[in-house]
Amino acid sequence: MIILTFIQKAIVQGIGILFGSIGEIVTEKSGNLNLGIPGLMYMGGIAGLMGAFFYENAVAAPIPFVGLLISLLFALACSALGALIYSFLTITLRANQNVVGLALTTFGIGFGNFFGGSISKLAGGVGQVSVATTAKAYQASIPGLNKIPVIGKLLFSYGFLTYTALILAFLISFYLLKTRSGLNLRAVGENPGAADAAGINLNKYKYIATVVGGAIAGLGGLYFVMEYLGGTWTNNGFGDRGWLAVALVIFSLWDCRKAILGSFLFGGLYILYMYIPGLSRGVQELFKMSQYLVTIVVLVITSMQRKRENQGPEMLGIAYFREER
């Protein structure tokens, strides 16, 4: 039963990372490198919490499902807006993507912590705020199936965002590999000059991919706040999960389907130290960084193999200038 519990906890830990990774894969397929994913996850999390908080405090008998819809819309809108600002700066103004991405992460974390603290004061708390009514809707598992021995707990005991992440991974893989629009998007990231010559609107694809990717990443923050933490906010509570999402993109070789298993592996490595007794604090920290070490190993191996299908988009992070075509 310990192994079963560990696997379940690994899945729970990995889903938030998976959302961030899916969002970054969509973004990077357009050639944009958005290092603001951690910040967008914070923005999605705090925006969803704010939406639920104001709704629950505005009505006498809040309905969980309504709170869910409001928080979901707030999270998507806020993270998409952050990604839109990033897009404008890097695509239209051609600012350095690394600088803008890191600035977005810094802003997003500060944004989350500031408004998290502000809401806590409104709620009369001391550093923590809760929207338990709305969180119940996020945490509701599949009735009946969740009662099946062993299988029920392992497969059907999660909230709807968990299954949303898995479905998104397969849908986006299908879109990128099997549709003309997906092929165009990949062409924009691989060879923007050829795509431009073929009449593909580069800015349109870049904007849409980056904004949609940012919104998906925001769902990772919403999942962490609502489903994982049960509708509570604690400043800096996300830890390094946003950066793990970026690392997972490389680990999964820019494939959303591989990112599913990778997220479960990352989630397991993230909590593995809890299941090994007698570890010192230093050793625990080594376990926490093991995901990055695994990613580095994968990156080295794929670089040595030189297989094009295992590499990132050719023009990733490089601005395209039509006059240089």
Side-chain angles (χ1 to χ4, degrees), residues 42-250:
Y42 266 85
M43 293 172 69
I46 190 59
L49 186 77
M50 290 171 64
F53 174 80
F54 290 125
Y55 166 70
E56 289 190 13
N57 285 272
V59 297
I63 302 173
F65 182 70
V66 176
L68 183 150
L69 289 179
I70 293 175
S71 63
L72 187 62
L73 290 174
F74 268 60
L76 289 172
C78 186
S79 52
L81 178 60
L84 179 62
I85 294 172
Y86 167 88
S87 300
F88 176 74
L89 293 174
T90 59
I91 299 172
T92 302
L93 299 185
R94 296 178 178 177
N96 184 281
Q97 294 180 19
N98 293 335
V99 174
V100 176
L102 292 173
L104 179 58
T105 286
T106 302
F107 171 80
I109 294 173
F111 179 87
N113 290 338
F114 173 78
F115 282 102
S118 299
I119 295 177
S120 178
K121 291 179 181 179
L122 289 176
V126 287
Q128 190 176 79
V129 62
S130 175
V131 286
T133 301
T134 299
K136 289 180 180 178
Y138 281 95
Q139 294 180 318
S141 55
I142 302 176
L145 295 179
N146 58 3
K147 301 298 183 181
I148 300 175
V150 182
I151 300 251
K153 184 177 181 180
L154 185 62
L155 300 179
F156 306 114
S157 63
Y158 314 100
F160 86 97
L161 280 179
T162 296
Y163 305 104
T164 300
L166 301 178
I167 293 171
L168 268 177
F170 285 106
L171 287 179
I172 290 175
S173 290
F174 178 83
Y175 167 76
L176 291 172
L177 298 174
K178 301 296 183 180
T179 67
R180 178 176 294 276
S181 178
L183 178 61
N184 289 345
L185 177 61
R186 290 161 55 201
V188 169
E190 291 288 347
N191 193 333
D196 191 18
I200 297 173
N201 190 327
L202 302 187
N203 285 355
K204 173 185 174 181
Y205 275 92
K206 283 180 174 289
Y207 262 95
I208 292 176
T210 305
V211 172
V212 170
I216 294 174
L219 290 179
L222 183 66
Y223 164 86
F224 184 77
V225 170
M226 291 297 185
E227 190 169 329
Y228 180 75
L229 293 181
T232 62
W233 178 271
T234 303
N235 284 352
N236 300 313
F238 284 26
D240 60 348
R241 290 174 176 83
W243 293 116
L244 286 176
V246 177
L248 181 58
V249 174
I250 302 171

